[in-house]
Amino acid sequence: RPFHVEPTNIVSVNDDMQRVTDEASAMNKRIHYYSRLTSPADRALIAPDHVLPAPDEIYVYSPLGTAFKVDSCTDGYGKNSSIVTIFMIWNTMMGTSILSIPWGIKQAGFTSGIILILLMGVLTLYCCYRVVKSRQMIPLIDTSNWEFPDVCKYYFGSFGQWSSLLFSMVSLVGAMVVYWVLMSNFLFNTGKFIYNFVHDINVTDIVPGTNGSNKVICPSAATGHPPQNRSVMFSGNNTGFELFEEWWNKSRTVPFYLIAVLLPLLNLKSPSFFAKFNVLGTVSVVYLVFLVTIKAAHLGIHLEYNWFTENDFFVPEFRILFPQLTGVLTLAFFIHNCVITLLQNNRNQENNV
């Protein structure tokens, strides 16, 4: 809704001062009057169209005391194409849980793991379909601006609203912590590789790994003591390397360096940038699929069907630990709390469902 601010605080995108007319100020007072007739959650008494100001009199208000003039007025729909929306949804779901699915298949068994992936995919797809359709099933109420908590409040009251917010926050906070750890590790390894390359430092491991060979099973797997990859041999400036190790620490310094990288991005004003930037994450998924395909073609497919027993190198087809895979899949396929928000940015709203 429009806000009336002092003309001296108005900033135009084109650097020319724009004044709020008396008519716009009067319209703003009427908007406030309509909003005070009922609670914000009740949309039965929303302002009619003739009360709203003209598009050239709409401003986006900032809590800092400035207002930016809106150059063009949209009808509430987003500017992303359907293909961008699809990749945005896909990349939002492609989170850290995907990396845990191989471990989950090991816990559940190969055959039962494949079956559980298909069943959980169908179940979560149907639930997501019901979430998208839920707003359209509410009669006599304009739900075009509703989010997922608003829908839960309509069907389940305040308990449903706060429950949806709570579980959404738990999943998002958990995902942010995991992503911060992964990004810190990536930044640490990248910086360490660049430093070693620039200073011509040759780092070797205590136990030779299997990089560059065709072996899939670690040579020391039978002993039960996996090799500890630690950098112990290097050639170069010892003092400079120790100083670098002190200031480039994986847990004490690099996570804070990440703030300097991400903080400028968080201050960008364009939501479309984040939508399009999010699509770039699909490149990493395509790379992983391509890498696994090449490795599988090079190494070959090795299967041994052990229906209820396991050996050192193969898991059985069925295990009673399958609930661990269902928990991983629940988080991997979870997008229900933000699918409505993502679809609001779609230019072709008729393709949402």
Side-chain angles (χ1 to χ4, degrees):
R1 71 185 184 187
F3 289 81
H4 177 68
V5 297
E6 294 297 328
T8 56
N9 293 332
I10 296 178
V11 179
S12 174
V13 178
N14 299 324
D15 294 331
D16 54 343
M17 300 301 294
Q18 299 287 339
R19 298 183 61 85
V20 178
T21 62
D22 295 336
E23 181 182 2
S25 177
M27 287 184 177
N28 174 70
K29 294 178 181 179
R30 286 197 288 268
I31 292 292
H32 282 274
Y33 172 75
Y34 276 100
S35 65
R36 286 180 172 85
L37 292 177
T38 183
S39 62
D42 187 4
R43 297 182 178 272
L45 290 176
I46 61 175
D49 294 337
H50 69 274
V51 177
L52 298 177
D56 57 347
E57 296 292 346
I58 296 180
Y59 295 84
V60 179
Y61 176 72
S62 169
L64 299 178
T66 59
F68 293 90
K69 183 176 176 56
V70 179
D71 294 331
S72 60
C73 182
T74 61
D75 55 357
Y77 297 127
K79 299 180 181 180
N80 296 326
S81 61
S82 296
I83 187 66
V84 172
T85 304
I86 290 173
F87 281 111
M88 198 164 60
I89 294 175
W90 181 27
N91 190 60
T92 304
M93 295 178 62
M94 290 290 179
T96 55
S97 301
I98 300 294
L99 304 177
S100 304
I101 287 181
W103 173 83
I105 293 180
K106 172 182 176 296
Q107 298 300 105
F110 183 76
T111 301
S112 59
I114 300 300
I115 295 175
L116 284 175
I117 290 177
L118 297 176
L119 292 179
M120 290 294 296
V122 173
L123 178 62
T124 52
L125 175 62
Y126 176 75
C127 293
C128 196
Y129 167 79
R130 299 309 308 175
V131 170
V132 176
K133 290 281 292 184
S134 60
R135 295 192 306 171
Q136 304 176 8
M137 305 300 294
I138 300 177
L140 305 177
I141 299 178
D142 181 17
T143 60
S144 58
N145 295 324
W146 279 28
E147 300 287 346
F148 183 66
D150 299 321
V151 178
C152 293
K153 182 179 181 180
Y154 177 83
Y155 286 105
F156 305 105
S158 299
F159 173 77
Q161 180 186 19
W162 291 108
S163 297
S164 64
L165 288 174
L166 175 62
F167 287 107
S168 298
M169 291 300 298
V170 169
S171 61
L172 291 176
V173 170
M176 287 194 304
V177 171
V178 175
Y179 275 121
W180 196 268
V181 173
L182 292 178
M183 289 188 295
S184 299
N185 289 334
F186 177 79
L187 181 62
F188 170 78
N189 293 323
T190 303
K192 191 172 183 179
F193 171 80
I194 295 175
Y195 180 86
N196 294 339
F197 180 80
V198 171
H199 294 81
D200 194 22
I201 296 178
N202 183 19
V203 181
T204 59
D205 297 330
I206 297 178
V207 180
T210 58
N211 292 333
S213 66
N214 295 333
K215 296 179 181 180
V216 178
I217 304 300
C218 184
S220 60
T223 63
H225 300 285
Q228 300 293 330
N229 294 327
R230 291 185 287 116
S231 302
V232 295
M233 299 174 60
F234 58 88
S235 59
N237 189 350
N238 191 1
T239 304
F241 185 81
E242 292 179 352
L243 184 63
F244 172 77
E245 290 281 315
E246 180 181 356
W247 288 97
W248 195 259
N249 188 276
K250 181 184 295 186
S251 59
R252 292 194 294 266
T253 59
V254 173
F256 297 99
Y257 297 157
L258 197 61
I259 298 178
V261 178
L262 297 181
L263 188 60
L265 294 178
L266 296 179
N267 288 275
L268 295 178
K269 301 177 181 179
S270 175
S272 301
F273 168 79
F274 292 100
K276 294 179 174 59
F277 186 78
N278 192 31
V279 176
L280 295 178
T282 310
V283 177
S284 62
V285 178
V286 175
Y287 168 76
L288 289 176
V289 173
F290 180 77
L291 177 63
V292 171
T293 304
I294 295 298
K295 284 291 186 180
H298 179 67
L299 301 175
I301 305 299
H302 303 277
L303 293 176
E304 180 178 317
Y305 291 97
N306 301 299
W307 295 102
F308 298 103
T309 59
E310 60 180 322
N311 54 34
D312 293 337
F313 306 118
F314 294 91
V315 298
E317 303 304 305
F318 301 95
R319 296 185 67 185
I320 61 174
L321 299 178
F322 68 90
Q324 298 180 3
L325 178 60
T326 60
V328 172
L329 294 175
T330 301
L331 184 59
F333 293 145
F334 181 73
I335 197 176
H336 305 73
N337 63 334
C338 60
V339 65
I340 294 179
T341 305
L342 293 176
L343 291 177
Q344 284 180 348
N345 296 322
N346 186 19
R347 183 187 303 124
N348 304 315
Q349 292 289 304
E350 66 277 2
N351 297 334
N352 286 348
V353 177

mmCIF file with all atom_site columns, all heavy atoms in Angstrom, residues 141-154:
data_model
loop_
_atom_site.group_PDB
_atom_site.id
_atom_site.type_symbol
_atom_site.label_atom_id
_atom_site.label_alt_id
_atom_site.label_comp_id
_atom_site.label_asym_id
_atom_site.label_entity_id
_atom_site.label_seq_id
_atom_site.pdbx_PDB_ins_code
_atom_site.Cartn_x
_atom_site.Cartn_y
_atom_site.Cartn_z
_atom_site.occupancy
_atom_site.B_iso_or_equiv
_atom_site.pdbx_formal_charge
_atom_site.auth_seq_id
_atom_site.auth_comp_id
_atom_site.auth_asym_id
_atom_site.auth_atom_id
_atom_site.pdbx_PDB_model_num
ATOM 1   N N   . ILE A 1 141 ? -12.980 -15.330 -0.740 1.00 0.00 ? 141 ILE A N   1
ATOM 2   C CA  . ILE A 1 141 ? -11.864 -14.600 -0.150 1.00 0.00 ? 141 ILE A CA  1
ATOM 3   C C   . ILE A 1 141 ? -10.776 -14.468 -1.202 1.00 0.00 ? 141 ILE A C   1
ATOM 4   O O   . ILE A 1 141 ? -10.461 -15.433 -1.915 1.00 0.00 ? 141 ILE A O   1
ATOM 5   C CB  . ILE A 1 141 ? -11.309 -15.311 1.109  1.00 0.00 ? 141 ILE A CB  1
ATOM 6   C CG1 . ILE A 1 141 ? -12.385 -15.418 2.189  1.00 0.00 ? 141 ILE A CG1 1
ATOM 7   C CG2 . ILE A 1 141 ? -10.087 -14.565 1.660  1.00 0.00 ? 141 ILE A CG2 1
ATOM 8   C CD1 . ILE A 1 141 ? -11.929 -16.139 3.435  1.00 0.00 ? 141 ILE A CD1 1
ATOM 9   N N   . ASP A 1 142 ? -10.219 -13.273 -1.297 1.00 0.00 ? 142 ASP A N   1
ATOM 10  C CA  . ASP A 1 142 ? -9.103  -13.056 -2.209 1.00 0.00 ? 142 ASP A CA  1
ATOM 11  C C   . ASP A 1 142 ? -7.828  -13.592 -1.576 1.00 0.00 ? 142 ASP A C   1
ATOM 12  O O   . ASP A 1 142 ? -7.305  -13.020 -0.615 1.00 0.00 ? 142 ASP A O   1
ATOM 13  C CB  . ASP A 1 142 ? -8.963  -11.562 -2.516 1.00 0.00 ? 142 ASP A CB  1
ATOM 14  C CG  . ASP A 1 142 ? -7.832  -11.274 -3.496 1.00 0.00 ? 142 ASP A CG  1
ATOM 15  O OD1 . ASP A 1 142 ? -7.386  -12.230 -4.166 1.00 0.00 ? 142 ASP A OD1 1
ATOM 16  O OD2 . ASP A 1 142 ? -7.400  -10.115 -3.588 1.00 0.00 ? 142 ASP A OD2 1
ATOM 17  N N   . THR A 1 143 ? -7.334  -14.703 -2.101 1.00 0.00 ? 143 THR A N   1
ATOM 18  C CA  . THR A 1 143 ? -6.148  -15.355 -1.555 1.00 0.00 ? 143 THR A CA  1
ATOM 19  C C   . THR A 1 143 ? -4.934  -15.195 -2.458 1.00 0.00 ? 143 THR A C   1
ATOM 20  O O   . THR A 1 143 ? -3.963  -15.961 -2.332 1.00 0.00 ? 143 THR A O   1
ATOM 21  C CB  . THR A 1 143 ? -6.431  -16.854 -1.355 1.00 0.00 ? 143 THR A CB  1
ATOM 22  O OG1 . THR A 1 143 ? -6.772  -17.450 -2.625 1.00 0.00 ? 143 THR A OG1 1
ATOM 23  C CG2 . THR A 1 143 ? -7.577  -17.058 -0.384 1.00 0.00 ? 143 THR A CG2 1
ATOM 24  N N   . SER A 1 144 ? -4.948  -14.231 -3.348 1.00 0.00 ? 144 SER A N   1
ATOM 25  C CA  . SER A 1 144 ? -3.845  -14.077 -4.295 1.00 0.00 ? 144 SER A CA  1
ATOM 26  C C   . SER A 1 144 ? -2.539  -13.704 -3.609 1.00 0.00 ? 144 SER A C   1
ATOM 27  O O   . SER A 1 144 ? -1.464  -14.029 -4.107 1.00 0.00 ? 144 SER A O   1
ATOM 28  C CB  . SER A 1 144 ? -4.197  -13.021 -5.344 1.00 0.00 ? 144 SER A CB  1
ATOM 29  O OG  . SER A 1 144 ? -4.484  -11.770 -4.718 1.00 0.00 ? 144 SER A OG  1
ATOM 30  N N   . ASN A 1 145 ? -2.611  -13.032 -2.459 1.00 0.00 ? 145 ASN A N   1
ATOM 31  C CA  . ASN A 1 145 ? -1.407  -12.615 -1.740 1.00 0.00 ? 145 ASN A CA  1
ATOM 32  C C   . ASN A 1 145 ? -1.120  -13.481 -0.519 1.00 0.00 ? 145 ASN A C   1
ATOM 33  O O   . ASN A 1 145 ? -0.265  -13.129 0.296  1.00 0.00 ? 145 ASN A O   1
ATOM 34  C CB  . ASN A 1 145 ? -1.525  -11.156 -1.304 1.00 0.00 ? 145 ASN A CB  1
ATOM 35  C CG  . ASN A 1 145 ? -1.586  -10.212 -2.492 1.00 0.00 ? 145 ASN A CG  1
ATOM 36  O OD1 . ASN A 1 145 ? -0.934  -10.434 -3.509 1.00 0.00 ? 145 ASN A OD1 1
ATOM 37  N ND2 . ASN A 1 145 ? -2.386  -9.159  -2.373 1.00 0.00 ? 145 ASN A ND2 1
ATOM 38  N N   . TRP A 1 146 ? -1.822  -14.579 -0.381 1.00 0.00 ? 146 TRP A N   1
ATOM 39  C CA  . TRP A 1 146 ? -1.629  -15.436 0.788  1.00 0.00 ? 146 TRP A CA  1
ATOM 40  C C   . TRP A 1 146 ? -0.353  -16.248 0.663  1.00 0.00 ? 146 TRP A C   1
ATOM 41  O O   . TRP A 1 146 ? 0.039   -16.687 -0.418 1.00 0.00 ? 146 TRP A O   1
ATOM 42  C CB  . TRP A 1 146 ? -2.820  -16.378 0.944  1.00 0.00 ? 146 TRP A CB  1
ATOM 43  C CG  . TRP A 1 146 ? -4.006  -15.736 1.604  1.00 0.00 ? 146 TRP A CG  1
ATOM 44  C CD1 . TRP A 1 146 ? -4.331  -14.409 1.583  1.00 0.00 ? 146 TRP A CD1 1
ATOM 45  C CD2 . TRP A 1 146 ? -5.023  -16.393 2.359  1.00 0.00 ? 146 TRP A CD2 1
ATOM 46  N NE1 . TRP A 1 146 ? -5.488  -14.193 2.277  1.00 0.00 ? 146 TRP A NE1 1
ATOM 47  C CE2 . TRP A 1 146 ? -5.938  -15.390 2.772  1.00 0.00 ? 146 TRP A CE2 1
ATOM 48  C CE3 . TRP A 1 146 ? -5.261  -17.697 2.717  1.00 0.00 ? 146 TRP A CE3 1
ATOM 49  C CZ2 . TRP A 1 146 ? -7.065  -15.681 3.521  1.00 0.00 ? 146 TRP A CZ2 1
ATOM 50  C CZ3 . TRP A 1 146 ? -6.386  -18.001 3.474  1.00 0.00 ? 146 TRP A CZ3 1
ATOM 51  C CH2 . TRP A 1 146 ? -7.272  -16.987 3.875  1.00 0.00 ? 146 TRP A CH2 1
ATOM 52  N N   . GLU A 1 147 ? 0.280   -16.466 1.807  1.00 0.00 ? 147 GLU A N   1
ATOM 53  C CA  . GLU A 1 147 ? 1.411   -17.362 1.897  1.00 0.00 ? 147 GLU A CA  1
ATOM 54  C C   . GLU A 1 147 ? 0.955   -18.661 2.551  1.00 0.00 ? 147 GLU A C   1
ATOM 55  O O   . GLU A 1 147 ? -0.206  -18.810 2.943  1.00 0.00 ? 147 GLU A O   1
ATOM 56  C CB  . GLU A 1 147 ? 2.546   -16.720 2.710  1.00 0.00 ? 147 GLU A CB  1
ATOM 57  C CG  . GLU A 1 147 ? 3.082   -15.423 2.132  1.00 0.00 ? 147 GLU A CG  1
ATOM 58  C CD  . GLU A 1 147 ? 3.913   -15.644 0.887  1.00 0.00 ? 147 GLU A CD  1
ATOM 59  O OE1 . GLU A 1 147 ? 4.286   -16.808 0.618  1.00 0.00 ? 147 GLU A OE1 1
ATOM 60  O OE2 . GLU A 1 147 ? 4.196   -14.666 0.168  1.00 0.00 ? 147 GLU A OE2 1
ATOM 61  N N   . PHE A 1 148 ? 1.889   -19.605 2.682  1.00 0.00 ? 148 PHE A N   1
ATOM 62  C CA  . PHE A 1 148 ? 1.549   -20.908 3.247  1.00 0.00 ? 148 PHE A CA  1
ATOM 63  C C   . PHE A 1 148 ? 1.023   -20.810 4.681  1.00 0.00 ? 148 PHE A C   1
ATOM 64  O O   . PHE A 1 148 ? 0.048   -21.494 5.028  1.00 0.00 ? 148 PHE A O   1
ATOM 65  C CB  . PHE A 1 148 ? 2.775   -21.817 3.181  1.00 0.00 ? 148 PHE A CB  1
ATOM 66  C CG  . PHE A 1 148 ? 2.528   -23.204 3.679  1.00 0.00 ? 148 PHE A CG  1
ATOM 67  C CD1 . PHE A 1 148 ? 1.663   -24.066 3.015  1.00 0.00 ? 148 PHE A CD1 1
ATOM 68  C CD2 . PHE A 1 148 ? 3.155   -23.660 4.824  1.00 0.00 ? 148 PHE A CD2 1
ATOM 69  C CE1 . PHE A 1 148 ? 1.437   -25.348 3.475  1.00 0.00 ? 148 PHE A CE1 1
ATOM 70  C CE2 . PHE A 1 148 ? 2.932   -24.937 5.302  1.00 0.00 ? 148 PHE A CE2 1
ATOM 71  C CZ  . PHE A 1 148 ? 2.075   -25.786 4.615  1.00 0.00 ? 148 PHE A CZ  1
ATOM 72  N N   . PRO A 1 149 ? 1.601   -19.983 5.575  1.00 0.00 ? 149 PRO A N   1
ATOM 73  C CA  . PRO A 1 149 ? 1.036   -19.867 6.923  1.00 0.00 ? 149 PRO A CA  1
ATOM 74  C C   . PRO A 1 149 ? -0.400  -19.330 6.928  1.00 0.00 ? 149 PRO A C   1
ATOM 75  O O   . PRO A 1 149 ? -1.199  -19.707 7.791  1.00 0.00 ? 149 PRO A O   1
ATOM 76  C CB  . PRO A 1 149 ? 1.990   -18.911 7.638  1.00 0.00 ? 149 PRO A CB  1
ATOM 77  C CG  . PRO A 1 149 ? 3.274   -19.039 6.901  1.00 0.00 ? 149 PRO A CG  1
ATOM 78  C CD  . PRO A 1 149 ? 2.881   -19.255 5.469  1.00 0.00 ? 149 PRO A CD  1
ATOM 79  N N   . ASP A 1 150 ? -0.745  -18.445 5.963  1.00 0.00 ? 150 ASP A N   1
ATOM 80  C CA  . ASP A 1 150 ? -2.119  -17.943 5.900  1.00 0.00 ? 150 ASP A CA  1
ATOM 81  C C   . ASP A 1 150 ? -3.104  -19.054 5.566  1.00 0.00 ? 150 ASP A C   1
ATOM 82  O O   . ASP A 1 150 ? -4.213  -19.102 6.104  1.00 0.00 ? 150 ASP A O   1
ATOM 83  C CB  . ASP A 1 150 ? -2.218  -16.825 4.865  1.00 0.00 ? 150 ASP A CB  1
ATOM 84  C CG  . ASP A 1 150 ? -1.327  -15.642 5.200  1.00 0.00 ? 150 ASP A CG  1
ATOM 85  O OD1 . ASP A 1 150 ? -1.231  -15.310 6.401  1.00 0.00 ? 150 ASP A OD1 1
ATOM 86  O OD2 . ASP A 1 150 ? -0.728  -15.061 4.285  1.00 0.00 ? 150 ASP A OD2 1
ATOM 87  N N   . VAL A 1 151 ? -2.692  -19.944 4.661  1.00 0.00 ? 151 VAL A N   1
ATOM 88  C CA  . VAL A 1 151 ? -3.555  -21.070 4.312  1.00 0.00 ? 151 VAL A CA  1
ATOM 89  C C   . VAL A 1 151 ? -3.732  -21.994 5.508  1.00 0.00 ? 151 VAL A C   1
ATOM 90  O O   . VAL A 1 151 ? -4.844  -22.460 5.793  1.00 0.00 ? 151 VAL A O   1
ATOM 91  C CB  . VAL A 1 151 ? -2.973  -21.838 3.113  1.00 0.00 ? 151 VAL A CB  1
ATOM 92  C CG1 . VAL A 1 151 ? -3.827  -23.053 2.773  1.00 0.00 ? 151 VAL A CG1 1
ATOM 93  C CG2 . VAL A 1 151 ? -2.869  -20.920 1.894  1.00 0.00 ? 151 VAL A CG2 1
ATOM 94  N N   . CYS A 1 152 ? -2.645  -22.257 6.230  1.00 0.00 ? 152 CYS A N   1
ATOM 95  C CA  . CYS A 1 152 ? -2.737  -23.114 7.415  1.00 0.00 ? 152 CYS A CA  1
ATOM 96  C C   . CYS A 1 152 ? -3.620  -22.486 8.485  1.00 0.00 ? 152 CYS A C   1
ATOM 97  O O   . CYS A 1 152 ? -4.359  -23.195 9.186  1.00 0.00 ? 152 CYS A O   1
ATOM 98  C CB  . CYS A 1 152 ? -1.335  -23.383 7.974  1.00 0.00 ? 152 CYS A CB  1
ATOM 99  S SG  . CYS A 1 152 ? -0.282  -24.371 6.897  1.00 0.00 ? 152 CYS A SG  1
ATOM 100 N N   . LYS A 1 153 ? -3.571  -21.168 8.611  1.00 0.00 ? 153 LYS A N   1
ATOM 101 C CA  . LYS A 1 153 ? -4.422  -20.507 9.595  1.00 0.00 ? 153 LYS A CA  1
ATOM 102 C C   . LYS A 1 153 ? -5.888  -20.626 9.224  1.00 0.00 ? 153 LYS A C   1
ATOM 103 O O   . LYS A 1 153 ? -6.753  -20.794 10.096 1.00 0.00 ? 153 LYS A O   1
ATOM 104 C CB  . LYS A 1 153 ? -4.030  -19.035 9.718  1.00 0.00 ? 153 LYS A CB  1
ATOM 105 C CG  . LYS A 1 153 ? -4.849  -18.278 10.757 1.00 0.00 ? 153 LYS A CG  1
ATOM 106 C CD  . LYS A 1 153 ? -4.413  -16.830 10.875 1.00 0.00 ? 153 LYS A CD  1
ATOM 107 C CE  . LYS A 1 153 ? -5.242  -16.109 11.937 1.00 0.00 ? 153 LYS A CE  1
ATOM 108 N NZ  . LYS A 1 153 ? -4.835  -14.686 12.083 1.00 0.00 ? 153 LYS A NZ  1
ATOM 109 N N   . TYR A 1 154 ? -6.211  -20.558 7.936  1.00 0.00 ? 154 TYR A N   1
ATOM 110 C CA  . TYR A 1 154 ? -7.612  -20.668 7.513  1.00 0.00 ? 154 TYR A CA  1
ATOM 111 C C   . TYR A 1 154 ? -8.168  -22.053 7.831  1.00 0.00 ? 154 TYR A C   1
ATOM 112 O O   . TYR A 1 154 ? -9.308  -22.179 8.290  1.00 0.00 ? 154 TYR A O   1
ATOM 113 C CB  . TYR A 1 154 ? -7.714  -20.391 6.021  1.00 0.00 ? 154 TYR A CB  1
ATOM 114 C CG  . TYR A 1 154 ? -9.113  -20.556 5.464  1.00 0.00 ? 154 TYR A CG  1
ATOM 115 C CD1 . TYR A 1 154 ? -10.049 -19.534 5.552  1.00 0.00 ? 154 TYR A CD1 1
ATOM 116 C CD2 . TYR A 1 154 ? -9.492  -21.745 4.853  1.00 0.00 ? 154 TYR A CD2 1
ATOM 117 C CE1 . TYR A 1 154 ? -11.325 -19.685 5.050  1.00 0.00 ? 154 TYR A CE1 1
ATOM 118 C CE2 . TYR A 1 154 ? -10.769 -21.918 4.351  1.00 0.00 ? 154 TYR A CE2 1
ATOM 119 C CZ  . TYR A 1 154 ? -11.685 -20.885 4.443  1.00 0.00 ? 154 TYR A CZ  1
ATOM 120 O OH  . TYR A 1 154 ? -12.962 -21.057 3.942  1.00 0.00 ? 154 TYR A OH  1
#
